[in-house]
């Protein structure tokens, strides 16, 4: 059991500055910290009203400050309303409320680490000297040297030792050489450290995967992405069903059925019957760009759309790059075979011709577009022959009920893309670069 | 505080519910603040069981409202006994009956929500799988959750005689409204770790040997983290599996008993096939 109170007040923050505590006004310090903590949670997007804050303080009054875990559980129960909010809460809590023991341990560990870093920086200056003067490196590179693994530092020192004699004979020549060897190693190491930091952030949580650019997913993350898609579509379907039910239920009495039911009770209307509205599933035509850079995105989008319960089973899918191919519906029943299917289709991995693809959709016989269909284009809008693409898109938007363009490129970059500026006015283009954006776009479809 | 939490955990343990510190603290706070408790988590982690165990532990009656699509006030709160009203009108055709009389106590049918707030002794009200109900019903619940009262248009406002402890559960099949979440204390239940699962298995299946309980707990822990398994086994399924093994008289998991009983933990043929060909699985159990 760890105590929070030691850092603030030995009297559980109730003394109001009694003079017996190490701190002058412990209650104020704690209160101030709580207020800043709640404000930071709000800044992270959590909705915390006065009532929650008040309840949190009541909860703290109940649990006291003796047990850090209990304090965390109590505050979290009141302030965090979803699992994602719980994760945000935990991260901030760890930063704000350190136990006295942890605080002391951290302080000691940091002091030790700082001393070690300083020692290694000095080591760099002492190892690399020309005429008794250290070779100059930027401060950030000195830090990189200090953070390097021991083996890497030993390797660099060996190189310096090997050339130390030659350095005395031709200092200018060898100074440049050694400096370049060191710089290369240090910059490489800097990159490794940055990647490691990024990797640590990326592995953080599912939430992070939902908000990361799909094109940056590593191969090892793809199965997890599929699971996330399943979870999210389950949620979307739940919301859609609830919405459809609400819209389908009508308060209007069905007089005909009520009177008919009343005949069995001698005309007394014992059982009231209400009118119901029938729901109609949407028919979707998907045009999927499967050029090499787009296949992953198209697969994710198809998985999303196919899982939506409001989408008709009779929906049609076309794959395109320079050529177009209508997908055999049986081939995509098992989405785990999608990548193999696309690779063997002959369409995969070529350039992009959106105009030709749209023309093929328009020319399909029997026609696939109609007032009741939604045409979904999954593409980054980078295409040859934009005039042809624009003309075909105008025609398609007249024939289809609506045209939705799901674009994996972030909206901020659209202004620099010629294809987007030409095609966007003729359809409803939505940015779908992350799983979260893709899920939101799919939810809006139905 | 620590004493209070330990006492609560002991009470729940006494009802065969093995609670961890976070659960005990959240439950304690929610009860002390009279705040409804919203519990989320995967299917079968024991969300409903929290309410049942709390009711038993605090010797309160449990009133359960199972939510489903289309659930409305008439099924959840109250309903006028329409047939009885109709009969009354027909019997009093000659007059002498006022319209107001038809909306009195006599014709009011209590449903779980009304029953829980009109109860003289405080109850535990379990609103199970709230995510399956419609958004309208959620909005209707807000008055009850924040004010502990409900309004019946023809009858008036009914204020709670005693404050029920309300537990809402959700499998997160649709997002719940921000308004509902704000009114509740929140708890996310994870699958139990191996140690806790062993305790649960032994508490719920008293005759189960420690060795077998350990093997079952390790096996389900492996199945839950395996990406090859699409339908993760719940605590209830782990209990069923243990019971099946007990019924077979197995002292430990071996090839034969595994083949015969794995269907109690995994409910999908592809999952079973994948796991049976996974050598890591056998190593994890042993």
């Amino acid at each position: 059991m760890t105590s929070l109170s030691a850092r603030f007040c030995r009297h559980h923050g109730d003394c109001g500055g009694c003079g017996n505590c190490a701190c002058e006004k412990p209650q104020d310090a704690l209160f101030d910290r709580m207020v800043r903590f709640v404000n930071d949670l709000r800044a992270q997007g959590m909705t915390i009203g006065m009532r929650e804050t008040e309840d949190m303080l009541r909860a703290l009054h109940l649990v006291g400050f003796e047990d850090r875990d209990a304090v965390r559980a109590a505050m979290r129960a009141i302030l965090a309303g979803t699992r994602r909010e719980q994760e945000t809460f935990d991260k901030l809590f760890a930063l704000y409320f350190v136990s006295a023991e942890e605080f002391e341990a951290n302080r000691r560990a940091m002091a030790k680490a700082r001393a070690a870093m300083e020692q290694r920086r000095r080591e760099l200056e002492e190892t690399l000297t020309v005429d008794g003067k250290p070779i100059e490196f930027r401060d950030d590179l000195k830090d990189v040297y200090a953070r390097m693994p021991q083996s890497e530092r030993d390797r660099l020192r060996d190189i310096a030792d090997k050339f130390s004699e030659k350095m005395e004979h031709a200092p200018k020549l060898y100074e440049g050489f050694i400096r370049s060897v060191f710089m290369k190693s240090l910059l490489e190491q800097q990159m490794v450290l940055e990647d490691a930091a990024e990797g640590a952030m990326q592995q953080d949580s599912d939430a992070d995967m939902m908000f990361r650019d799909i094109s940056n997913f590593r191969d090892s993350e793809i199965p997890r992405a599929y699971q996330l898609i399943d979870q999210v579509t389950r949620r979307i379907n739940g919301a859609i069903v609830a919405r459809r039910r609400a819209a389908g239920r009508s308060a209007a009495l069905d007089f005909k059925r009520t009177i008919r039911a009343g005949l069995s009770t001698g005309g007394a209307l014992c059982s009231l019957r209400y009118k119901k509205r029938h729901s109609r599933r949407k028919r979707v035509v998907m045009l999927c760009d499967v050029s090499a850079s787009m296949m992953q995105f198209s697969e994710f989008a198809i998985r999303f759309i196919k899982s939506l319960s409001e989408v008709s089973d009779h929906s049609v899918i076309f794959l395109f790059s320079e050529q177009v191919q209508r997908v055999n519906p049986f081939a995509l029943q098992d989405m785990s075979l999608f990548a193999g299917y696309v690779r063997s289709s002959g369409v995969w991995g070529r350039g992009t011709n959106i105009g030709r693809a749209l023309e093929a959709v328009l020319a399909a016989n029997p026609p696939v577009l109609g007032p009741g269909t939604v045409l979904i284009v999954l593409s980054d809008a980078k295409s040859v022959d934009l005039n042809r693409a624009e003309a075909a898109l105008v025609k398609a938007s007249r024939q289809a009920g609506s045209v939705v363009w799901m674009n994996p490129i972030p909206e901020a970059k659209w202004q620099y893309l010629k294809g987007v500026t030409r095609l966007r006015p003729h359809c409803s283009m939505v940015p779908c670069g992350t799983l979260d954006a893709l899920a939101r776009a799919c939810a809006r479809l139905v | 505080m620590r004493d209070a939490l330990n006492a609560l955990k002991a009470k729940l343990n006494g009802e065969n519910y093995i609670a961890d510190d976070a659960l005990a603290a959240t439950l304690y706070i929610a009860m002390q603040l009279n705040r409804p408790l919203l519990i989320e988590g995967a299917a079968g982690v024991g969300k409903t069981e929290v309410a049942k165990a709390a009711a038993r532990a605090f010797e309160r009656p449990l009133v359960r409202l199972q939510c489903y699509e289309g659930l409305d006030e008439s099924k959840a709160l109250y309903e006028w006994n329409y047939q009885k009203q109709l009969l009354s009108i027909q019997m009093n055709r000659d007059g002498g009956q006022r319209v107001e009389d038809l909306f009195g106590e006599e014709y009011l049918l209590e449903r779980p929500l009304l029953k829980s707030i009109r109860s003289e002794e405080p109850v535990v009200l379990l609103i199970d799988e709230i995510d399956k109900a419609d958004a309208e019903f959620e909005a209707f619940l807000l008055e009850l959750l924040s004010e502990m009262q409900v309004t019946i248009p023809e009858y008036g406002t009914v204020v709670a005689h005693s404050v029920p402890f309300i537990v809402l559960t959700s499998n997160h099949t649709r997002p719940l409204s921000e308004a509902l979440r704000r009114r509740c204390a929140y708890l996310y239940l994870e699958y139990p770790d191996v140690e806790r699962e062993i305790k649960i298995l032994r508490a719920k299946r008293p005759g189960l040997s420690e060795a077998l309980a350990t093997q079952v707990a390790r096996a389900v822990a492996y199945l839950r983290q395996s990406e090859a398994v699409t339908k993760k086994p719940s605590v209830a399924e782990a209990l069923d599996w243990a019971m099946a093994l007990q019924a077979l008289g197995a002292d430990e998991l071996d090839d034969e008993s595994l083949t015969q009983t794995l269907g109690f933990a995994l409910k999908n043929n592809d999952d079973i096939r994948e796991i049976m060909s996974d050598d890591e699985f056998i190593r994890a159990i042993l």
Side-chain angles (χ1 to χ4, degrees), chain A residues 184-356:
Chain A
K184 186 170 173 287
S185 295
L186 290 171
L187 288 170
E188 271 174 11
Q189 199 61 35
Q190 192 171 31
M191 233 161 64
V192 170
L193 289 172
E194 279 170 8
D195 283 353
E198 199 180 315
M201 274 170 67
Q202 283 172 359
Q203 280 172 3
D204 225 15
S205 68
D206 290 347
D208 175 60
M209 267 190 91
M210 288 298 292
F211 292 95
R212 222 165 73 219
D213 198 321
I214 289 172
S215 59
N216 292 337
F217 282 1
R218 293 186 293 270
D219 286 350
S220 58
E221 290 174 324
I222 304 291
R224 184 68 203 125
Y226 294 156
Q227 283 181 358
L228 279 175
I229 290 173
D230 284 346
Q231 284 171 15
V232 173
T233 45
R234 205 157 58 92
R235 229 173 287 158
I236 294 173
N237 280 334
I240 290 167
V241 168
R243 205 168 64 200
R244 195 181 65 202
R245 286 264 164 184
R249 205 179 322 112
S250 162
L253 259 183
D254 186 336
F255 286 107
K256 210 169 158 185
R257 285 176 55 226
T258 304
I259 289 168
R260 197 178 295 156
L263 291 177
S264 62
T265 49
L269 307 180
C270 286
S271 170
L272 303 178
R273 303 291 160 96
Y274 294 90
K275 285 181 178 170
K276 279 186 176 176
R277 258 189 299 182
H278 295 288
S279 66
R280 192 172 291 165
R281 288 185 164 189
K282 288 227 168 66
R283 195 181 162 89
V284 166
V285 176
M286 274 185 275
L287 187 56
C288 312
D289 188 343
V290 287
S291 52
S293 61
M294 284 292 300
M295 193 170 79
Q296 188 66 74
F297 171 74
S298 290
E299 184 183 347
F300 283 162
I302 293 174
R303 275 178 185 266
F304 260 118
I305 295 165
K306 272 170 65 81
S307 312
L308 295 178
S309 58
E310 281 280 294
V311 172
S312 154
D313 291 338
H314 301 294
S315 297
V316 182
I317 301 176
F318 290 87
L319 305 179
F320 79 96
S321 55
E322 283 171 354
Q323 304 296 325
V324 197
Q325 194 179 88
R326 188 168 170 164
V327 173
N328 172 0
F330 295 107
L332 288 193
Q333 274 184 349
D334 182 357
M335 279 302 288
S336 60
L337 306 175
F338 177 80
Y341 178 82
V342 173
R343 285 199 177 97
S344 61
S345 68
V347 188
W348 178 68
R350 301 187 180 190
T352 310
N353 191 334
I354 295 171
R356 184 182 284 170

Side-chain angles (χ1 to χ4, degrees), chain B residues 172-209:
Chain B
H172 209 15
T173 52
R174 76 172 171 83
L176 299 176
S177 72
E178 190 72 18
L180 181 88
R181 288 179 181 280
R182 278 202 355 245
R183 283 163 174 80
C184 301
Y186 179 78
L187 176 69
Y188 188 89
L189 279 188
E190 304 271 5
Y191 286 116
D193 56 25
V194 174
E195 293 304 315
R196 199 151 76 90
E197 188 123 36
I198 294 171
K199 282 185 190 164
I200 294 170
L201 287 169
R202 298 208 69 197
K204 297 270 183 186
R205 300 275 172 260
L208 194 70
S209 70

